[in-house]
């Protein structure tokens, strides 16, 4: 599809306008002329929508925003939902169904808005327990039953608690942990590129440094792409799921129109209505602490997002935006291989801390890569 922006017009714009109006983000168009115009008011509405959805707030209608708009128009009960293996159904109605099942104690997987095999299994269990037809289809009868039932327990999100329990049970050792390192962009997609310094090259190099250290501590490190490839985000997530990863780390740099914007930020899965990866948040927080302390990069904090890599991965996933290539200081630091070694060490130590879960806690920044190796060796004896 063509990206729509302010100044554009036509039937595609009219369709998006009417969706934004239906979502209450824009007053209904006054006449045919306005209905087909992408004006400032529409751009503001698009930005508001993007912000609500954890998308990049650029005011443009690209594929991700278009898909999110389409998803947002679906409400539970508006259409039957079922597991379509070749083209899974997505939408807000699926999120509502998943959250409702989770509240009732059925493991529908992460509430990601994609009706997959796990959602179907949870729905079938629900249908069985409540004496409904066990067809795995969320039709009128099932919707009615879901509406009538009050949740057994609020606040406990079984799937996210289970994620935490799995890590706790897997123990503090790094040996045998499978980590997918996901260097952003690649191939023709350079990512942010400033004065010959490319995000894709830097993150590929950082990924290799990280991989080396992880393998040295006994972890299994897999890269989500080759040096000259740029898989889609959904394919990278699928790669991690099929590999049975314990953890996914996506590596990116940031850019900003302002040359003063600088620093490191981390992102974990989380939605505005309370679905949250506690472990993702913990991992993002640990990475922030270690990197801010070791590198001198400004600490821009850890934040919840619903980006595809965070949403579609089944394990704990964190995306790190390491420095702004549009900032002279950050770009100079990142261009130095020794600096990238420090970043790689900080990340390995943060991963080790996640699996220690507070045990053997040493002050941030003081735990070295050598300590991590020594700890692993001690555990192996
Ligand atoms: Zn990037």
């Amino acid at each position: 599809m063509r990206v729509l922006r302010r100044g554009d017009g036509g039937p595609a714009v009219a369709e998006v306008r009417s969706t934004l109006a239906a979502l209450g983000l824009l007053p209904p168009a006054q006449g045919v002329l306005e209905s087909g115009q992408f004006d400032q008011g529409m751009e503001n509405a698009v930005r508001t929508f993007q912000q609500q959805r954890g998308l990049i707030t650029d005011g443009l209608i690209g594929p991700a925003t278009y898909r999110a708009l389409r998803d947002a128009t679906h409400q539970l009960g508006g259409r039957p939902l079922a597991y379509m293996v070749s083209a899974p159904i997505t939408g807000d109605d699926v999120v509502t169904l998943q959250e409702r099942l989770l509240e009732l104690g059925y493991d529908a997987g992460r509430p990601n808005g994609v009706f997959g095999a796990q959602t179907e299994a949870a729905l079938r269990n629900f249908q069985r327990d409540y004496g409904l037809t066990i067809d795995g289809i969320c039709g009128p009868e099932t919707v009615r039953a879901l509406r009538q039932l009050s949740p057994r327990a609020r606040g406990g999100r079984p799937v996210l608690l289970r994620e935490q329990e799995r890590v706790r049970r897997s123990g503090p050792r790094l040996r045998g942990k499978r980590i997918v390192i996901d260097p952003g962009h690649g191939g023709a997609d350079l990512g942010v590129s400033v004065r010959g310094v490319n995000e894709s090259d830097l993150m590929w190099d950082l990924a290799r440094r990280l991989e080396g250290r992880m393998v040295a501590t006994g972890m299994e490190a897999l890269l989500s792409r080759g040096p000259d490839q740029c898989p889609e985000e959904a394919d990278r997530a699928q790669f991690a799921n099929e590999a049975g990863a314990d953890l996914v780390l996506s590596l990116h740099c940031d850019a900003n129109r302002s040359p003063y914007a600088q620093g490191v930020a981390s992102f974990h899965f989380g939605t505005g209505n309370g679905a949250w990866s506690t472990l993702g948040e913990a991992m993002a927080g640990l990475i922030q602490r270690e990197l801010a302390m070791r590198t001198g990069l400004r600490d821009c904090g850890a934040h919840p997002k619903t980006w595809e890599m965070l949403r579609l991965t089944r394990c704990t996933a964190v995306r790190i935006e390491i420095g702004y290539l549009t900032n002279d200081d950050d770009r100079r630091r990142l261009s130095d291989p020794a600096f990238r070694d420090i970043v790689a060490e900080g990340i390995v130590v943060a991963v080790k801390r996640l699996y220690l879960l507070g045990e053997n806690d040493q002050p941030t920044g003081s735990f070295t890569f050598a300590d991590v190796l020594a700890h692993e060796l001690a555990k192996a004896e």
Side-chain angles (χ1 to χ4, degrees):
M1 67 163 282
R2 187 169 66 91
V3 174
L4 300 174
R5 62 189 75 230
R6 182 150 50 90
D8 284 347
V13 169
E15 187 202 329
V16 172
R17 256 202 108 94
S18 75
T19 303
L20 289 166
L23 295 171
L25 294 170
L26 199 61
Q30 305 292 316
V32 185
L33 190 64
E34 194 189 61
S35 82
Q37 271 177 4
F38 198 142
D39 54 17
Q40 184 64 55
M42 176 161 163
E43 185 182 301
N44 295 342
V46 171
R47 285 179 186 275
T48 305
F49 175 77
Q50 289 171 326
Q51 201 160 24
Q52 287 172 356
R53 296 273 157 165
L55 296 161
I56 295 161
T57 47
D58 56 9
L60 305 175
I61 309 284
T65 301
Y66 186 75
R67 195 164 47 237
L69 277 166
R70 211 181 38 204
D71 283 354
T73 58
H74 294 294
Q75 287 185 356
L76 190 63
R79 58 177 176 171
L81 298 172
Y83 179 36
M84 315 292 276
V85 181
S86 57
I89 296 178
T90 67
D92 279 20
D93 46 355
V94 179
V95 176
T96 309
L97 171 65
Q98 290 169 327
E99 298 207 312
R100 204 73 187 85
L101 288 168
L102 286 167
E103 282 174 354
L104 291 162
Y106 296 90
D107 185 3
R110 185 170 287 180
N112 58 6
V114 183
F115 196 118
Q118 205 176 345
T119 307
E120 188 197 48
L123 180 59
R124 281 179 181 276
N125 286 336
F126 167 75
Q127 290 174 327
R128 191 196 56 226
D129 292 353
Y130 287 85
L132 307 166
T133 314
I134 309 166
D135 54 9
I137 299 170
C138 184
E141 184 195 36
T142 302
V143 171
R144 210 160 32 241
L146 283 169
R147 289 209 173 115
Q148 280 161 2
L149 290 162
S150 66
R152 274 182 207 149
R154 285 203 183 274
R157 303 269 171 180
V159 67
L160 298 173
L161 293 175
R162 235 177 300 250
E163 181 185 328
Q164 196 158 358
E165 189 50 34
R166 201 172 60 198
V167 168
R168 202 176 290 279
R169 245 182 298 143
S170 73
R173 292 215 24 217
L174 295 177
R175 181 161 301 282
K177 298 274 187 322
R178 187 171 289 175
I179 317 289
V180 167
I181 306 169
D182 173 43
H185 315 277
D189 176 6
L190 303 176
V192 183
S193 177
V194 179
R195 300 204 185 136
V197 180
N198 302 326
E199 180 187 1
S200 59
D201 298 335
L202 286 179
M203 294 305 106
W204 171 256
D205 175 86
L206 175 62
R208 296 305 301 269
R209 288 170 200 272
L210 196 49
E211 181 190 25
R213 282 169 177 75
M214 287 184 162
V215 170
T217 62
M219 286 187 266
E220 230 185 298
L222 304 170
L223 297 179
S224 65
R225 68 164 172 95
D228 302 314
Q229 297 167 311
C230 184
E232 298 282 332
E233 294 289 290
D235 293 333
R236 296 175 192 239
Q238 194 185 348
F239 171 80
N241 288 342
E242 282 171 4
D246 292 296
L247 179 65
V248 175
L249 296 171
S250 269
L251 308 175
H252 285 260
C253 298
D254 217 333
N256 197 286
R257 248 177 285 178
S258 161
Y260 300 108
Q262 64 180 128
V264 55
S266 298
F267 304 89
H268 57 87
F269 177 78
T271 68
N273 49 18
W276 204 277
S277 167
T278 319
L279 273 174
E281 186 183 18
M283 183 74 265
L286 289 168
I287 288 172
Q288 281 302 115
R289 269 171 45 184
E290 293 296 335
L291 291 191
M293 177 77 77
R294 285 161 194 267
T295 64
L297 288 170
R298 182 178 296 167
D299 185 351
C300 299
H303 310 274
K305 289 284 172 192
T306 58
W307 294 333
E308 283 194 322
M309 273 306 280
L310 307 178
R311 187 164 62 92
L312 301 178
T313 41
R314 281 199 287 269
C315 62
T316 305
V318 168
R319 168 160 163 166
I320 321 167
E321 300 264 354
I322 307 148
Y324 284 75
L325 289 185
T326 44
N327 176 266
D328 289 342
D329 280 343
D330 282 5
R331 190 174 63 253
R332 185 179 42 74
R333 286 178 168 129
L334 279 160
S335 301
D336 177 2
F339 179 83
R340 299 197 292 273
D341 274 335
I342 296 172
V343 172
E345 288 206 2
I347 294 173
V348 171
V349 169
V351 170
K352 179 68 182 169
R353 283 185 186 281
L354 179 78
Y355 290 112
L356 284 172
L357 292 165
E359 177 197 326
N360 267 16
D361 221 0
Q362 297 192 31
T364 305
S366 70
F367 205 21
T368 65
F369 179 61
D371 292 335
V372 173
L373 278 175
H375 187 261
E376 284 300 309
L377 286 172
K379 290 270 172 182
E381 278 161 10

mmCIF file of all heavy atoms in Angstrom, residues 294-313:
data_model
loop_
_atom_site.group_PDB
_atom_site.id
_atom_site.type_symbol
_atom_site.label_atom_id
_atom_site.label_comp_id
_atom_site.label_asym_id
_atom_site.label_seq_id
_atom_site.Cartn_x
_atom_site.Cartn_y
_atom_site.Cartn_z
ATOM 1 N N ARG A 294 27.623 2.090 32.967
ATOM 2 C CA ARG A 294 28.911 1.723 32.357
ATOM 3 C C ARG A 294 29.327 2.620 31.217
ATOM 4 O O ARG A 294 30.507 2.791 30.961
ATOM 5 C CB ARG A 294 28.818 0.297 31.790
ATOM 6 C CG ARG A 294 28.846 -0.764 32.834
ATOM 7 C CD ARG A 294 28.304 -2.071 32.302
ATOM 8 N NE ARG A 294 28.052 -2.954 33.424
ATOM 9 C CZ ARG A 294 28.946 -3.837 33.875
ATOM 10 N NH1 ARG A 294 30.087 -3.978 33.259
ATOM 11 N NH2 ARG A 294 28.664 -4.567 34.928
ATOM 12 N N THR A 295 28.324 3.122 30.451
ATOM 13 C CA THR A 295 28.659 3.792 29.192
ATOM 14 C C THR A 295 28.612 5.308 29.287
ATOM 15 O O THR A 295 29.122 5.988 28.403
ATOM 16 C CB THR A 295 27.658 3.396 28.085
ATOM 17 O OG1 THR A 295 26.360 3.872 28.470
ATOM 18 C CG2 THR A 295 27.617 1.895 27.891
ATOM 19 N N GLY A 296 27.948 5.828 30.305
ATOM 20 C CA GLY A 296 27.791 7.271 30.383
ATOM 21 C C GLY A 296 26.699 7.797 29.455
ATOM 22 O O GLY A 296 26.466 9.000 29.382
ATOM 23 N N LEU A 297 26.015 6.872 28.729
ATOM 24 C CA LEU A 297 24.890 7.315 27.903
ATOM 25 C C LEU A 297 23.772 7.787 28.831
ATOM 26 O O LEU A 297 23.596 7.242 29.923
ATOM 27 C CB LEU A 297 24.355 6.158 27.042
ATOM 28 C CG LEU A 297 25.212 5.701 25.863
ATOM 29 C CD1 LEU A 297 24.653 4.403 25.286
ATOM 30 C CD2 LEU A 297 25.279 6.759 24.782
ATOM 31 N N ARG A 298 23.025 8.784 28.412
ATOM 32 C CA ARG A 298 21.924 9.273 29.235
ATOM 33 C C ARG A 298 20.859 8.184 29.388
ATOM 34 O O ARG A 298 20.543 7.477 28.432
ATOM 35 C CB ARG A 298 21.309 10.522 28.579
ATOM 36 C CG ARG A 298 20.182 11.119 29.406
ATOM 37 C CD ARG A 298 19.644 12.364 28.760
ATOM 38 N NE ARG A 298 20.661 13.422 28.717
ATOM 39 C CZ ARG A 298 20.540 14.530 27.988
ATOM 40 N NH1 ARG A 298 19.472 14.718 27.249
ATOM 41 N NH2 ARG A 298 21.487 15.445 28.015
ATOM 42 N N ASP A 299 20.323 8.059 30.590
ATOM 43 C CA ASP A 299 19.323 7.026 30.874
ATOM 44 C C ASP A 299 17.935 7.532 30.490
ATOM 45 O O ASP A 299 17.360 8.354 31.190
ATOM 46 C CB ASP A 299 19.382 6.682 32.369
ATOM 47 C CG ASP A 299 18.453 5.527 32.734
ATOM 48 O OD1 ASP A 299 17.644 5.115 31.872
ATOM 49 O OD2 ASP A 299 18.552 5.050 33.876
ATOM 50 N N CYS A 300 17.417 7.049 29.364
ATOM 51 C CA CYS A 300 16.102 7.497 28.898
ATOM 52 C C CYS A 300 14.993 6.549 29.356
ATOM 53 O O CYS A 300 13.851 6.646 28.898
ATOM 54 C CB CYS A 300 16.078 7.636 27.381
ATOM 55 S SG CYS A 300 17.266 8.845 26.767
ATOM 56 N N GLY A 301 15.328 5.601 30.230
ATOM 57 C CA GLY A 301 14.282 4.810 30.885
ATOM 58 C C GLY A 301 13.798 3.588 30.118
ATOM 59 O O GLY A 301 14.176 3.350 28.973
ATOM 60 N N ALA A 302 12.955 2.796 30.802
ATOM 61 C CA ALA A 302 12.350 1.591 30.236
ATOM 62 C C ALA A 302 10.859 1.876 30.043
ATOM 63 O O ALA A 302 10.236 2.474 30.903
ATOM 64 C CB ALA A 302 12.548 0.412 31.176
ATOM 65 N N HIS A 303 10.321 1.430 28.918
ATOM 66 C CA HIS A 303 8.945 1.785 28.579
ATOM 67 C C HIS A 303 8.184 0.605 27.979
ATOM 68 O O HIS A 303 8.773 -0.180 27.246
ATOM 69 C CB HIS A 303 8.933 2.930 27.561
ATOM 70 C CG HIS A 303 9.801 4.074 27.951
ATOM 71 N ND1 HIS A 303 9.368 5.084 28.761
ATOM 72 C CD2 HIS A 303 11.105 4.335 27.668
ATOM 73 C CE1 HIS A 303 10.366 5.934 28.958
ATOM 74 N NE2 HIS A 303 11.422 5.505 28.306
ATOM 75 N N PRO A 304 6.870 0.512 28.256
ATOM 76 C CA PRO A 304 6.056 -0.545 27.634
ATOM 77 C C PRO A 304 5.671 -0.165 26.206
ATOM 78 O O PRO A 304 5.353 0.989 25.936
ATOM 79 C CB PRO A 304 4.812 -0.593 28.526
ATOM 80 C CG PRO A 304 4.686 0.788 29.080
ATOM 81 C CD PRO A 304 6.091 1.341 29.191
ATOM 82 N N LYS A 305 5.718 -1.145 25.307
ATOM 83 C CA LYS A 305 5.324 -0.931 23.908
ATOM 84 C C LYS A 305 4.653 -2.193 23.390
ATOM 85 O O LYS A 305 4.817 -3.269 23.974
ATOM 86 C CB LYS A 305 6.551 -0.637 23.033
ATOM 87 C CG LYS A 305 7.166 0.730 23.273
ATOM 88 C CD LYS A 305 6.341 1.838 22.635
ATOM 89 C CE LYS A 305 6.869 3.208 23.044
ATOM 90 N NZ LYS A 305 5.938 4.286 22.679
ATOM 91 N N THR A 306 3.949 -2.058 22.276
ATOM 92 C CA THR A 306 3.305 -3.242 21.684
ATOM 93 C C THR A 306 3.911 -3.562 20.326
ATOM 94 O O THR A 306 3.271 -4.182 19.491
ATOM 95 C CB THR A 306 1.790 -3.023 21.518
ATOM 96 O OG1 THR A 306 1.606 -1.860 20.694
ATOM 97 C CG2 THR A 306 1.106 -2.799 22.848
ATOM 98 N N TRP A 307 5.142 -3.141 20.090
ATOM 99 C CA TRP A 307 5.798 -3.421 18.812
ATOM 100 C C TRP A 307 5.801 -4.925 18.537
ATOM 101 O O TRP A 307 5.832 -5.728 19.469
ATOM 102 C CB TRP A 307 7.228 -2.892 18.845
ATOM 103 C CG TRP A 307 7.306 -1.403 18.927
ATOM 104 C CD1 TRP A 307 6.377 -0.503 18.468
ATOM 105 C CD2 TRP A 307 8.348 -0.619 19.531
ATOM 106 N NE1 TRP A 307 6.798 0.773 18.738
ATOM 107 C CE2 TRP A 307 7.993 0.742 19.379
ATOM 108 C CE3 TRP A 307 9.556 -0.943 20.164
ATOM 109 C CZ2 TRP A 307 8.798 1.779 19.850
ATOM 110 C CZ3 TRP A 307 10.355 0.100 20.617
ATOM 111 C CH2 TRP A 307 9.985 1.436 20.462
ATOM 112 N N GLU A 308 5.854 -5.242 17.222
ATOM 113 C CA GLU A 308 5.702 -6.657 16.826
ATOM 114 C C GLU A 308 6.675 -7.591 17.530
ATOM 115 O O GLU A 308 6.285 -8.659 17.988
ATOM 116 C CB GLU A 308 5.852 -6.782 15.310
ATOM 117 C CG GLU A 308 4.590 -6.337 14.578
ATOM 118 C CD GLU A 308 4.566 -6.762 13.129
ATOM 119 O OE1 GLU A 308 5.632 -6.721 12.486
ATOM 120 O OE2 GLU A 308 3.490 -7.116 12.648
ATOM 121 N N MET A 309 7.946 -7.212 17.623
ATOM 122 C CA MET A 309 8.929 -8.109 18.251
ATOM 123 C C MET A 309 8.604 -8.365 19.722
ATOM 124 O O MET A 309 8.948 -9.397 20.267
ATOM 125 C CB MET A 309 10.343 -7.512 18.157
ATOM 126 C CG MET A 309 11.076 -7.831 16.892
ATOM 127 S SD MET A 309 11.168 -9.594 16.538
ATOM 128 C CE MET A 309 12.508 -10.078 17.617
ATOM 129 N N LEU A 310 7.950 -7.417 20.367
ATOM 130 C CA LEU A 310 7.617 -7.570 21.787
ATOM 131 C C LEU A 310 6.300 -8.325 21.939
ATOM 132 O O LEU A 310 6.081 -9.048 22.902
ATOM 133 C CB LEU A 310 7.506 -6.201 22.458
ATOM 134 C CG LEU A 310 8.719 -5.274 22.276
ATOM 135 C CD1 LEU A 310 8.468 -3.927 22.941
ATOM 136 C CD2 LEU A 310 9.973 -5.921 22.855
ATOM 137 N N ARG A 311 5.431 -8.143 20.949
ATOM 138 C CA ARG A 311 4.071 -8.658 21.029
ATOM 139 C C ARG A 311 3.990 -10.100 20.536
ATOM 140 O O ARG A 311 3.261 -10.912 21.096
ATOM 141 C CB ARG A 311 3.206 -7.759 20.139
ATOM 142 C CG ARG A 311 1.742 -7.980 20.173
ATOM 143 C CD ARG A 311 1.048 -6.761 19.563
ATOM 144 N NE ARG A 311 1.421 -6.561 18.164
ATOM 145 C CZ ARG A 311 0.744 -7.057 17.138
ATOM 146 N NH1 ARG A 311 -0.333 -7.779 17.346
ATOM 147 N NH2 ARG A 311 1.128 -6.823 15.914
ATOM 148 N N LEU A 312 4.727 -10.405 19.479
ATOM 149 C CA LEU A 312 4.570 -11.716 18.835
ATOM 150 C C LEU A 312 5.526 -12.772 19.386
ATOM 151 O O LEU A 312 5.400 -13.939 19.072
ATOM 152 C CB LEU A 312 4.764 -11.589 17.319
ATOM 153 C CG LEU A 312 3.793 -10.634 16.606
ATOM 154 C CD1 LEU A 312 4.124 -10.550 15.124
ATOM 155 C CD2 LEU A 312 2.348 -11.090 16.788
ATOM 156 N N THR A 313 6.489 -12.356 20.212
ATOM 157 C CA THR A 313 7.417 -13.334 20.784
ATOM 158 C C THR A 313 6.785 -13.941 22.024
ATOM 159 O O THR A 313 6.116 -13.260 22.778
ATOM 160 C CB THR A 313 8.759 -12.672 21.166
ATOM 161 O OG1 THR A 313 8.475 -11.405 21.759
ATOM 162 C CG2 THR A 313 9.627 -12.464 19.957
#
